[in-house]
Amino acid sequence: MPKTQPRSPKSSRPSVRGVPFEVVTSRRRRLHVPHRSRHVPASEWRDYPRPVPEAWALIARDKGFRLHGRIRDRYHVALECRTCGGLTAHKSFTLRTAQPRCGACAEADLADAARAAGLTFLRRDGRNHHYGLYRAACGHVLRV
């Protein structure tokens, strides 16, 4: 009988999947980062000194964004939402082939829904993507 190989320990990457965006605040402006890039440290989200193709700027404009520049590496761009002005990191492939989602607008939607329920949205729960932390009018912090 063949011996089974011991399993390697799981990576330290968060298992949170449904949380749409994480906010990086170590920059001059808040940057919303998609959940699949949450394993990248905040220090890595810095400007990348390469020019951006003009075609990408036109694509971003057509999709409701302004191309702010390249970040982290040659594959990532910072998009500024023309509706709210928030910055969101996306891969250039996402920009070219899909409709990017604005992280600031998504966060505002969560805050609006909480306000309609009489709560104040604090932040997403880091352990389970189905939950968020909210402050009730009485002062208690609820995990809903």
Side-chain angles (χ1 to χ4, degrees):
M1 234 181 207
K3 290 186 175 182
T4 59
Q5 296 292 326
R7 292 186 179 203
S8 61
K10 289 191 173 189
S11 69
S12 61
R13 181 176 177 172
S15 63
V16 178
R17 286 282 181 215
V19 178
F21 294 92
E22 184 71 18
V23 178
V24 175
T25 57
S26 65
R27 296 175 48 88
R28 291 175 297 233
R29 293 175 60 187
R30 290 172 44 136
L31 177 71
H32 293 81
V33 177
H35 74 278
R36 291 188 144 228
S37 296
R38 291 181 65 196
H39 65 284
V40 178
S43 61
E44 292 293 317
W45 294 104
R46 58 184 180 273
D47 295 334
Y48 187 73
R50 296 282 309 264
V52 180
E54 185 61 34
W56 292 4
L58 296 174
I59 294 169
R61 188 191 69 212
D62 292 341
K63 295 185 178 188
F65 293 94
R66 185 180 77 76
L67 190 61
H68 196 264
R70 285 188 174 177
I71 53 174
R72 187 174 158 208
D73 56 23
R74 66 186 180 138
Y75 301 113
H76 289 83
V77 292
L79 300 176
E80 182 177 349
C81 180
R82 289 172 45 198
T83 304
C84 70
L87 278 181
T88 306
H90 281 286
K91 288 189 175 182
S92 59
F93 179 80
T94 302
L95 171 66
R96 291 181 285 121
T97 61
Q99 175 62 47
R101 183 176 179 199
C102 175
C105 290
E107 186 176 318
D109 289 345
L110 282 174
D112 290 344
R115 200 172 307 112
L119 303 171
T120 304
F121 175 70
L122 299 175
R123 66 182 177 277
R124 296 174 184 90
D125 187 359
R127 285 181 255 149
N128 190 330
H129 70 276
H130 293 289
Y131 294 92
L133 298 177
Y134 299 86
R135 183 174 312 281
C138 61
H140 288 95
V141 175
L142 304 173
R143 183 175 173 254
V144 179

